[in-house]
Amino acid sequence: MMRPAATIAARALRPASFRWIRPATTSLIRRPATSSSSFRSFITATAPRRQEERKWSTPLAKQLFEAISLTGPVPLASYMRMCLTGDLGGYYTGAIGEGRDQFGTKGDFVTSPEISQIFGELIGVWFIAEWISQGRPKTGVQLIEVGPGRGTLMDDMLRTIQRFPAMASSIDAVYMVEASRELREAQKDLLCGPGAHSTESKAGYHSTSKYGDRPIVWTETIKSIPIEPSKMPFIVAHEFFDALPIHSFQAAESKSSPKTPSATAGSPDASAEASTADEPSSPTSLADPTPPAMEWREMMVSPTPPGATHADLKTPKSEQHEPVPEFQLILSSAPTRHSRYVPESSPRYRQLKQIPGAVVEVCPDASLYATDFATRIGGSPQHPKAQPSGAALIIDYGTSDTVPVNSLRGIRHHRRVNPFSAPGLVDLSADVDFTAIAEAATAASTGVEVHGPIRQGDFLELMGIRERAEMLAKTPGLSEEAARNMDKSWKRLVDRGPGGMGKVYKALSILPENDGRRRPVGFGGDVWEKSSSEA
């Protein structure tokens, strides 16, 4: 039985148009290949003796150079992983400098929860609506956040949920999946109070929430959280998927193709010879119109030559205010172990393989997380679940109907910088492929369905951000300046102009499969009260 959503958030959950996720239309994307010297020349040019002559911006930059000097160029995903979560000066796990903070106006970027408390409140309302629609269980609810940042989002969610005692009491535990020790401490101080006591177990670190004494558990990986069929997991991932490492591949004519007899087969797997992807192929014989065989090559990371300039590297003008980057992308001269199978994992990528120069970005880690979310909610052959339950809400920026390409970006001090400069001091991110997430989730479990993605502006408007802002503006004693700032903040979150957060960011949800009988709030649906026959 459907009931008005006003019972939990006045005027917040209005019906709207709804769009199911569909396989994306393959887009033809071309990208010029980057030429480089041969692998042997590279080794000669970057021999260890040069490390004494060259100054590196960070200890991690020097470590990367030394590793590449020994093994050859590394995949883009490996570079991203070391820069973001490496032990030596990783952006999130090995912060360089006392009191450094990645978030907020004094950091490198500002996230939606930091902009306005209303964002986290509405995310809390979304999960309350799901709890109601799935029968108001009295126990067994898990709140799980991956990539919690400073904990601001979860703090706003818990404060909101606390106003609904029945749901608050149903929560068995709150799980925070966080790899950074520094961020875990910041989250504990916010959610449990400064100096709150904590204990350690095999699962992670434990403390008690300041909201209703709920247990909070910190784990370094979501795999540390048991998958239990009796639990109702509510999972939130806000600006998490964009920070997962990506692989980048480019379609090129195979060197073993009969159309390129001069090509040499059997090159070293990760060598970085000059790419021929953009050179004209041999003339096709009229008697033999068979197209040349194509293969995927991988974009690899190598050091830039000593003395290179922005002009040499063709650095975009918007990034030339920074020093010349110490690393660059080059194209492998032959297939790598990743290019042989990763871009073959979906027909969306395979359709582009026959287009010379076509580029795809693939994030295997995103598929692994989507698979985990879907398994917890809907079950799987390895983890049977008699009654699917729970929900996942993913909010991030990315593409909804195309394959991401050339989307890697670096941010430092709120400015766009070259992603290959100052490793460990620059935040790295890439567009999220929402279609790939949906494909992975539905492939992992027959017990789930996917809704969205929809624009963040549409989602928040449907959730009632305007009405909530108007209510807060009437708070007694609120100054005019505070009211103006509040008005600017919520409007920034729903801005649908070019580059606006309301347009660039998107929301996607994973729910228990229900044959299309129910749409979630914020995606065109309303709150459902389960009848006794459905319970």
Side-chain angles (χ1 to χ4, degrees):
M1 177 183 68
M2 181 180 291
R3 70 172 190 173
T7 54
I8 66 165
R11 294 170 290 172
L13 312 173
R14 302 187 298 274
S17 59
F18 171 79
R19 182 159 62 87
W20 290 92
I21 191 76
R22 293 185 177 87
T25 302
T26 303
S27 60
L28 190 155
I29 307 169
R30 294 178 181 273
R31 167 176 171 170
T34 303
S35 297
S36 65
S37 58
S38 68
F39 181 64
R40 288 187 296 276
S41 298
F42 165 79
I43 288 295
T44 303
T46 58
R49 60 185 174 81
R50 286 194 177 272
Q51 74 183 48
E52 298 179 0
E53 306 169 15
R54 190 167 182 177
K55 301 294 183 183
W56 299 97
S57 59
T58 65
L60 179 57
K62 181 179 178 181
Q63 184 186 62
L64 282 164
F65 167 76
E66 292 172 345
I68 293 173
S69 296
L70 292 174
T71 66
V74 298
L76 176 57
S78 299
Y79 174 83
M80 289 184 67
R81 200 180 303 278
M82 289 188 68
C83 288
L84 293 175
T85 58
D87 292 334
L88 179 64
Y91 185 78
Y92 289 107
T93 53
I96 301 174
E98 286 279 336
R100 177 176 158 213
D101 191 352
Q102 299 92 340
F103 307 93
T105 56
K106 295 182 180 180
D108 296 321
F109 54 87
V110 179
T111 62
S112 295
E114 308 286 343
I115 293 173
S116 174
Q117 70 178 65
I118 304 176
F119 182 86
E121 291 173 348
L122 295 181
I123 301 303
V125 168
W126 192 86
F127 284 109
I128 293 168
E130 278 304 310
W131 173 78
I132 293 172
S133 297
Q134 296 186 40
R136 299 174 178 257
K138 290 181 170 53
T139 60
V141 171
Q142 299 172 325
L143 282 185
I144 303 173
E145 182 177 5
V146 290
R150 290 196 297 202
T152 307
L153 174 59
M154 183 58 72
D155 187 58
D156 290 333
M157 287 174 57
L158 290 176
R159 188 183 67 254
T160 302
I161 292 172
Q162 193 67 15
R163 300 180 65 179
F164 296 81
M167 180 180 178
S169 64
S170 73
I171 298 173
D172 287 354
V174 177
Y175 293 92
M176 307 286 278
V177 182
E178 178 57 69
S180 167
R181 177 179 58 81
E182 293 83 2
L183 288 177
R184 286 198 300 266
E185 284 298 315
Q187 294 158 16
K188 181 174 72 69
D189 287 346
L190 179 62
L191 300 176
C192 307
H197 176 71
S198 64
T199 59
E200 185 177 356
S201 71
K202 291 182 179 180
Y205 303 89
H206 305 252
S207 192
T208 303
S209 168
K210 63 186 181 184
Y211 299 107
D213 296 330
R214 298 284 173 269
I216 300 183
V217 183
W218 281 266
T219 68
E220 294 189 11
T221 170
I222 198 168
K223 293 180 180 179
S224 299
I225 306 174
I227 298 178
E228 302 176 76
S230 61
K231 301 297 184 182
M232 178 179 284
F234 287 141
I235 308 167
V236 61
H238 175 253
E239 288 204 51
F240 170 75
F241 281 85
D242 67 279
L244 296 178
I246 61 168
H247 289 269
S248 182
F249 305 99
Q250 181 171 322
E253 185 175 334
S254 172
K255 290 195 172 186
S256 60
S257 170
K259 294 300 174 185
T260 54
S262 60
T264 303
S267 299
D269 185 58
S271 64
E273 299 176 8
S275 168
T276 59
D278 279 354
E279 297 177 5
S281 57
S282 303
T284 303
S285 169
L286 295 178
D288 183 12
T290 305
M294 302 294 291
E295 64 188 13
W296 289 110
R297 310 272 184 85
E298 186 166 8
M299 302 303 296
M300 313 287 280
V301 176
S302 75
T304 55
T309 65
H310 283 303
D312 297 332
L313 302 176
K314 299 179 181 179
T315 305
K317 289 184 179 180
S318 61
E319 300 172 359
Q320 291 185 8
H321 59 279
E322 296 286 333
V324 174
E326 297 160 302
F327 297 88
Q328 63 179 334
L329 272 183
I330 60 176
L331 186 66
S332 65
S333 63
T336 66
R337 62 190 180 93
H338 296 110
S339 70
R340 288 189 176 97
Y341 69 88
V342 174
E344 301 292 339
S345 61
S346 169
R348 300 169 64 227
Y349 313 138
R350 293 196 294 269
Q351 291 178 34
L352 291 168
K353 186 176 181 180
Q354 299 307 314
I355 311 298
V359 173
V360 297
E361 289 176 354
V362 186
C363 182
D365 284 10
S367 296
L368 292 176
Y369 274 98
T371 296
D372 181 278
F373 294 177
T375 300
R376 292 176 187 275
I377 296 166
S380 69
Q382 294 75 26
H383 300 277
K385 190 170 185 177
Q387 181 63 47
S389 64
L393 182 63
I394 299 168
I395 300 180
D396 224 312
Y397 54 83
T399 62
S400 57
D401 54 6
T402 60
V403 177
V405 58
N406 298 341
S407 71
L408 180 67
R409 59 181 65 81
I411 299 292
R412 189 179 185 189
H413 302 321
H414 301 275
R415 301 179 68 181
R416 186 84 172 256
V417 299
N418 192 292
F420 300 104
S421 61
L425 294 179
V426 173
D427 176 48
L428 302 180
S429 62
D431 284 356
V432 175
D433 188 344
F434 283 98
T435 300
I437 291 176
E439 287 181 345
T442 53
S445 175
T446 58
V448 301
E449 61 185 35
V450 176
H451 296 256
I454 65 170
R455 297 184 300 184
Q456 173 175 287
D458 298 335
F459 173 77
L460 293 177
E461 291 269 17
L462 290 168
M463 291 299 301
I465 189 171
R466 183 185 302 272
E467 291 82 359
R468 177 58 175 160
E470 291 174 351
M471 183 182 301
L472 289 176
K474 297 176 183 178
T475 303
L478 188 69
S479 67
E480 291 185 9
E481 181 181 3
R484 284 194 299 269
N485 290 337
M486 185 183 300
D487 188 63
K488 290 179 182 177
S489 296
W490 80 264
K491 289 180 178 177
R492 179 180 176 186
L493 296 178
V494 300
D495 178 15
R496 298 174 181 83
M501 296 184 72
K503 178 180 180 180
V504 175
Y505 286 80
K506 298 175 180 67
L508 178 144
S509 63
I510 304 173
L511 299 183
E513 209 286 323
N514 61 78
D515 294 325
R517 295 190 304 271
R518 180 177 73 85
R519 302 171 183 175
V521 297
F523 292 82
D526 214 318
V527 184
W528 282 66
E529 190 73 65
K530 235 180 184 181
S531 66
S532 58
S533 62
E534 296 173 306

